[in-house]
Each structure stands twice: as structure tokens, then as C-alpha cells.
Amino acid sequence: MRKGIHPAYGLVVFRDRAANHAFLTRSTMASEKTIEWEDGHTYPVVDVEISNVSHPFYTGAARVLDTAGRVERFERRFGKRGGA
């Protein structure tokens, strides 16, 4: 690898503001804010709006769209398309 062209890669804390959850991982993201982690070390912290803890898909609160009903409603409203 060429020297001096890659961003710094190190430990960063990502904090989900919606669920009040944080996790430590490696990343190239940088931040001016820091946080003291459970191990006593200080790491840069990046605030995120949503993570796997608060995302509806992972929490089971996702809505399932009734696409078949939507297609039928469209066909009733505008008629079926002629076969080609």
C-alpha cells in the first residue's frame, strides 16, 4: 500500500441517539467529540440517528406492504392492461 494516501483506521464508538446504545468498532470515521468507554480508554464518538438496535427491520416493528392489494386496487381503478 502507498504511504500517506489512506485515512486513519482505528477504534471509534458509534452511539445511537434514538436507542441510547453505543458500540465500539474500527472505522475510518473521525470526530472531534470523545467518550470514555467501559474499558477506561477515551475514543472518538460518532452519533448516528439509527442502528440495528432502533431500526424497525431489526426490531420487528417493520410494516409489511400489501402489494397484491395495491395492484388489485390499481387494476380496479384504471383497468387491466391488455396482453401483448
Side-chain angles (χ1 to χ4, degrees):
M1 291 192 329
R2 288 179 35 199
K3 302 277 186 208
I5 64 167
H6 301 287
Y9 182 72
L11 292 170
V12 178
V13 174
F14 286 92
R15 182 171 50 189
D16 183 353
R17 303 299 284 185
N20 197 21
H21 175 75
F23 55 95
L24 179 67
T25 187
R26 292 186 166 274
S27 177
T28 58
M29 294 208 49
S31 175
E32 297 295 322
K33 295 188 278 184
T34 60
I35 189 172
E36 186 172 333
W37 192 242
E38 300 159 352
D39 61 1
H41 292 92
T42 302
Y43 299 107
V45 63
V46 176
D47 291 326
V48 293
E49 296 296 323
I50 197 161
S51 71
N52 65 328
V53 177
S54 61
H55 193 279
F57 179 79
Y58 295 107
T59 60
R63 294 184 316 162
V64 176
L65 295 176
D66 180 23
T67 56
R70 295 175 78 184
V71 170
E72 291 169 0
R73 190 170 58 231
F74 178 84
E75 288 175 349
R76 276 196 311 262
R77 185 179 292 167
F78 298 106
K80 288 189 176 185
R81 185 175 157 181

